[in-house]
Amino acid sequence: MTGRITALDLGTVELSEATKAYFAKCEEKLGLVPNVLRAYAFDEKKLRAFTDMYNDLMLGESGLSKLEREMIAVAVSSINHCYYCLTAHGAAVRQLSGAPALGEMMVMNFRAADLSPRQTAMLEFAVKLTEEPAKIVEADRAALREAGFTDRDIWDIASTAAFFNMSNRVAAAIDMRPNDEYHAMAR
């Protein structure tokens, strides 16, 4: 690994004190500053928009657990073959679940994992939204309701899947590379 974060040369900028503090908080809580944040740091407005949306979707109030949201990130990223997100969010699934094998199965094929009917329904919806968004119909939402999801939960599933579809495409376009530390986490 050459230490590069992306294939683009967007120059360097002096980070604001607020961004420096945010990066220090990441270092303190995670032991690293995720490369996705460093990739966005060339434009603090874009960084803030990305982190605001990410933090709301992945850490905010929701009927979905943090693990379930990470599972959506991995299932979507698996369909899109997103190296960055599979590495980073696969590590999060391993860590949150306490089951390294689950993280690996999710990365390869979530259908091979021992998931609850609720989780399976959630991930099947996220995958259909990723692969065939124009084919989402009321029966798909009804299946989620039957699995115990509220309409607000369905919004959160869709928003999380959509966010990672966007993130996967940006990561692919700029050849974003994950932090090396993710590979050894929660194994």
Side-chain angles (χ1 to χ4, degrees):
M1 174 72 77
T2 62
R4 71 177 174 82
I5 296 171
T6 75
L8 304 182
D9 181 4
L10 299 171
T12 58
V13 296
E14 181 63 32
L15 299 177
S16 70
E17 290 305 314
T19 298
K20 287 178 187 176
Y22 184 70
F23 282 10
K25 189 174 190 178
C26 290
E27 189 76 47
E28 175 189 324
K29 289 187 168 201
L30 304 172
L32 57 89
V33 177
N35 282 349
V36 66
L37 301 181
R38 292 187 191 281
Y40 274 89
F42 76 95
D43 182 328
E44 290 202 9
K45 186 175 180 184
K46 288 178 179 18
L47 173 63
R48 210 168 14 267
F50 177 86
T51 58
D52 285 351
M53 179 65 89
Y54 176 89
N55 289 336
D56 180 61
L57 289 172
M58 299 304 283
L59 305 172
E61 296 246 351
S62 177
L64 307 178
S65 70
K66 288 180 183 177
L67 175 59
E68 288 172 328
R69 290 178 266 183
E70 290 291 350
M71 292 169 88
I72 293 168
V74 173
V76 167
S77 299
S78 181
I79 297 302
N80 292 326
H81 305 285
C82 180
Y83 175 56
Y84 184 97
C85 289
L86 286 171
T87 304
H89 296 282
V93 168
R94 291 191 305 269
Q95 188 171 38
L96 290 169
S97 70
L102 176 62
E104 298 304 320
M105 283 185 265
M106 291 292 305
V107 165
M108 299 297 178
N109 176 6
F110 77 87
R111 292 176 185 101
D114 184 21
L115 302 176
S116 70
R118 171 186 161 94
Q119 292 166 332
T120 299
M122 172 187 77
L123 296 177
E124 291 291 356
F125 183 87
V127 165
K128 184 172 182 180
L129 186 60
T130 298
E131 293 178 325
E132 303 176 298
K135 293 185 179 180
I136 295 287
V137 295
E138 184 55 34
D140 299 306
R141 291 180 288 276
L144 288 173
R145 291 183 191 106
E146 285 177 34
F149 292 104
T150 67
D151 282 4
R152 168 61 199 268
D153 297 336
I154 295 169
W155 176 275
D156 289 350
I157 293 166
S159 295
T160 303
F163 179 83
F164 281 96
N165 274 294
M166 182 274 299
S167 294
N168 292 169
R169 282 153 179 75
V170 171
I174 67 173
D175 192 24
M176 188 183 303
R177 296 303 172 120
N179 303 64
D180 289 338
E181 294 89 341
Y182 285 127
H183 296 287
M185 287 182 173
R187 296 211 182 256

